[in-house]
Amino acid sequence: MESTAMLTPGLARDLAALGRLGEDTSTESVLRGLTTALTAGVPGCSGASAEHWRDHRVLVSGSHSELIMLVEGEHELGEGPSTEARQSGGRATVTDVLTETRWPRYDALATRWGVRSVLAVPIDVAPAVLVVGLYSVRPGAFSPQGAHSLSDMLTEQLGVAMANLSEFDEVRTDAAQLQEALAGRSVIDQAKGIIMQTSRCTAEAAFEELRRISQHHQIKVADLARLLVEEHQRKSKG
């Protein structure tokens, strides 16, 4: 095979699209898009999986539910190509599970799901690690030369996609925090108004009273203000 045998124009296009983010984009959606793109775009590939490892926690996605079960079964066994790839940092290949001798328990599990050959590719997307798995129902589906070219493309495109997602998440977090801060300021202003009305005091004195009570009861000013406003609304309706 040629070194680019595993790469197709459609695959390159679909992988590049992973870096284009929308309002609903998440790690889960990127992984789903990745497994779908690999299954459709890599010649000989019958299905794909993706594992997102961070802080000893893993998020698993797969083009088929059977492959998700295979990956989770591999985690329980503690052996197999994806485990090897993650631990070694290098690609792991199973040419044929029927003749493979390194991971007999994994081979039996893969055979149960109709898998004959596997390629597992680790990709460093700090602070996380992705392990991408490609599976075929026929032996010898993934050549070493093609795997090298595919690894390079995955590293490049997924690096961009995950970096964009990280920046996008930061923006969304900042926006949520700003919205929360504005909401907190609004309820504090309402609480100050209630205190000013009942105590006939200035805005500054009302805020000082809020702060004094919050410190005494060890509760945040915004939470105290929310309780005061809710209580005032209940009394008004009564």
Side-chain angles (χ1 to χ4, degrees):
M1 292 185 179
E2 296 180 2
S3 62
T4 57
M6 294 176 68
L7 304 182
T8 62
L11 176 62
R13 180 189 64 247
D14 290 342
L15 290 179
L18 296 177
R20 296 196 289 271
L21 308 182
E23 186 62 32
D24 297 327
T25 302
S26 63
T27 300
E28 292 90 338
S29 67
V30 171
L31 297 185
R32 285 196 303 269
L34 170 63
T35 59
T36 299
L38 292 172
T39 303
V42 176
C45 181
S46 306
S49 66
E51 304 166 54
H52 182 273
W53 289 87
R54 181 173 181 179
D55 299 329
H56 304 291
R57 292 161 53 181
V58 62
L59 175 65
V60 179
S61 183
S63 59
H64 301 76
S65 59
E66 294 86 351
L67 293 180
I68 295 178
M69 287 187 281
L70 176 57
V71 170
E72 292 177 344
E74 180 179 351
H75 293 167
E76 294 178 3
L77 293 174
E79 68 171 38
S82 294
T83 302
E84 173 71 17
R86 180 168 60 88
Q87 294 177 347
S88 69
R91 294 189 304 274
T93 306
V94 177
T95 303
D96 190 346
V97 298
L98 299 184
T99 58
E100 172 63 46
T101 59
R102 290 171 292 177
W103 311 298
R105 293 182 298 166
Y106 173 83
D107 297 334
L109 187 62
T111 302
R112 185 185 309 169
W113 297 117
V115 172
R116 288 292 298 273
S117 56
V118 184
L119 170 64
V121 181
I123 301 170
D124 185 7
V125 286
V129 172
L130 293 179
V131 180
V132 180
L134 284 77
Y135 307 85
S136 180
V137 296
R138 62 181 178 83
F142 311 116
S143 71
Q145 299 88 348
H148 180 75
S149 298
L150 179 64
S151 297
D152 288 345
M153 176 174 283
L154 287 174
T155 299
E156 178 181 355
Q157 298 295 349
L158 288 176
V160 171
M162 299 310 292
N164 288 350
L165 180 59
S166 178
E167 293 177 1
F168 190 50
D169 283 341
E170 287 183 6
V171 171
R172 284 193 290 200
T173 299
D174 290 344
Q177 290 175 342
L178 177 60
Q179 186 174 11
E180 182 179 356
L182 292 174
R185 181 176 298 177
S186 175
V187 77
I188 289 173
D189 287 341
Q190 292 179 57
K192 284 165 53 180
I194 294 171
I195 295 174
M196 290 167 64
Q197 184 178 18
T198 56
S199 300
R200 303 297 180 182
C201 64
T202 65
E204 291 78 5
F207 182 75
E208 285 301 321
E209 180 66 6
L210 273 175
R211 190 167 63 174
R212 184 188 66 79
I213 297 173
S214 72
Q215 290 174 346
H216 179 74
H217 293 282
Q218 296 184 342
I219 182 174
K220 292 181 179 179
V221 171
D223 292 338
L224 174 62
R226 191 171 294 108
L227 291 173
L228 178 60
V229 170
E230 290 173 353
E231 178 66 18
H232 180 73
Q233 290 174 343
R234 282 195 295 270
K235 289 181 178 180
S236 299
K237 292 178 181 178

